[in-house]
């Protein structure tokens, strides 16, 4: 298999950012992936003692489809986040200051309207990632699997519906499931695949229009007998990964 696309998602639920290469570190996500989130006002998230919480506590596409209409960009060098609604000037604010975080939270809460609960907070906790599973990991999807699902849907499903970090070509549909429990080389990094990704209603949202125009979980269940697409892998030896690199299983037996 070959790496075709690499993405990070600095703010949970907001824009994917494409990368040409990335340096993976042992036991970590992609740098800056799911680094920030909009915690709903009733979310029991404590920045001083962060722990994993389910996505319903944060702004997310599963519950807040209209977030797909926002375009965001994060500059990690200066800590600035820019967010733009269609047809309007962007907000640019610092994620490193209380004033900046308050401005970002207010902007997102106003955009969500009635979907915002209480007084949402724009949150970050050093060393914490707002991932969908409790373990820090990298998500990998075979584009052949997306194509197989698209065929059953009768429409092209944008791979970004599934918000993976790594998209690979080559191999048969669902070939990534054969890697479960295996160690793999991804570029110069070594990872262990530990879980299939169960898909949720977030994948119903078209990333271009923010409309719920397909039902991937139902399509998966009806046509393939499961609700899974892609796999999670933990980094056990860091290294560089670039577009064009190979994904190769390491058969340890």
């Amino acid at each position: 298999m070959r790496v075709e696309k690499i993405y990070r998602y600095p703010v949970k639920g907001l824009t994917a950012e494409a990368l040409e290469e990335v340096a993976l570190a042992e036991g970590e996500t992609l740098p800056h992936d799911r680094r920030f989130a909009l915690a709903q006002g009733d979310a029991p998230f404590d920045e001083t003692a962060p722990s994993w919480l389910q996505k319903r506590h944060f702004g997310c596409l599963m519950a807040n489809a209209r977030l797909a209409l926002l375009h965001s960009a994060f500059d990690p060098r200066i800590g600035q986040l820019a967010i733009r609604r269609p047809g309007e000037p962007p907000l640019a604010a610092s994620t490193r200051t209380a004033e900046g975080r308050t401005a970002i939270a207010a902007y997102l809460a106003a955009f969500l309207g009635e979907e915002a609960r209480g007084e949402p907070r724009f949150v970050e906790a050093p060393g914490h990632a707002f991932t969908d599973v409790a373990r820090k990991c990298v998500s990998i999807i075979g584009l052949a699997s997306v194509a197989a699902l698209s065929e059953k849907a009768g429409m092209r499903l944008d791979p970004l519906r599934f918000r993976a970090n790594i998209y690979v070509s080559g191999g048969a549909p669902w070939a990534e499931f054969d890697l479960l429990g295996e160690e793999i080389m991804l570029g110069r990094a070594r990872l262990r695949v530990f879980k299939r990704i169960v898909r949720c209603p977030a994948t119903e949202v078209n990333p271009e229009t923010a409309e719920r125009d397909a039902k991937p979980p139902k399509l998966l269940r009806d046509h393939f007998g499961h609700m899974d697409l892609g796999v999670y892998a933990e980094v056990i030896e860091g290294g560089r990964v670039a577009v064009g690199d190979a994904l190769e299983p390491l058969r340890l037996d």
Side-chain angles (χ1 to χ4, degrees):
M1 298 182 187
R2 177 183 181 273
V3 175
E4 295 290 343
K5 298 287 185 180
I6 303 172
Y7 292 103
R8 70 183 180 198
Y9 307 82
V11 182
K12 188 175 184 68
L14 296 189
T15 304
E17 296 185 351
L19 305 170
E20 288 297 315
E21 63 178 63
V22 65
L24 297 182
E26 179 182 347
E28 296 294 333
T29 63
L30 269 69
H32 311 297
D33 189 46
R34 277 82 172 186
R35 176 174 168 178
F36 307 101
L38 181 71
Q40 293 281 15
D42 55 4
F45 184 75
D46 182 353
E47 294 100 316
T48 64
S51 60
W52 182 83
L53 294 174
Q54 294 180 340
K55 66 177 72 177
R56 63 184 175 84
H57 293 290
F58 307 98
C60 63
L61 292 174
M62 180 183 73
N64 315 116
R66 63 196 319 264
L67 287 176
L69 292 174
L70 295 176
H71 296 272
S72 62
F74 175 61
D75 185 344
R77 296 170 300 173
I78 59 174
Q80 184 179 77
L81 179 67
I83 311 174
R84 179 174 60 83
R85 305 182 192 187
E88 296 186 12
L91 167 77
S94 174
T95 63
R96 297 176 180 173
T97 67
E99 294 80 5
R101 292 189 295 272
T102 297
I104 294 168
Y107 185 93
L108 292 173
F111 181 76
L112 288 178
E114 294 182 355
E115 294 180 5
R117 305 194 302 269
E119 296 185 10
R121 297 169 292 137
F122 186 74
V123 293
E124 173 193 15
H128 183 77
F130 296 94
T131 49
D132 287 348
V133 292
R135 191 186 309 187
K136 289 184 180 181
C137 56
V138 174
S139 54
I140 303 170
I141 288 179
L143 290 171
S145 302
V146 179
L149 185 59
S150 294
E151 182 180 0
K152 297 301 183 183
M155 60 184 288
R156 179 185 178 274
L157 298 175
D158 188 332
L160 281 177
R161 281 180 187 262
F162 306 100
R163 297 179 68 80
N165 298 127
I166 307 289
Y167 290 89
V168 296
S169 62
W174 322 115
E176 57 267 37
F177 293 168
D178 295 335
L179 301 173
L180 193 64
E182 299 278 356
E183 292 187 6
I184 60 174
M185 289 300 299
L186 185 65
R188 297 179 183 174
R190 185 162 58 97
L191 298 85
R192 180 183 295 111
V193 178
F194 68 90
K195 182 179 174 59
R196 287 161 52 153
I197 304 175
V198 181
R199 306 320 312 202
C200 76
T203 61
E204 297 175 354
V205 180
N206 186 317
E208 294 287 334
T209 66
E211 297 293 327
R212 294 188 184 272
D213 60 2
K215 296 185 179 297
K218 184 177 187 301
L219 289 166
L220 286 164
R221 184 178 63 246
D222 291 349
H223 294 284
F224 301 103
H226 57 73
M227 294 175 61
D228 306 339
L229 182 67
V231 294
Y232 290 122
E234 59 181 338
V235 181
I236 55 180
E237 184 177 317
R240 172 185 173 276
V241 181
V243 170
D245 282 350
L247 183 160
E248 299 176 309
L250 294 173
R251 305 298 180 185
L252 301 181
D253 54 2

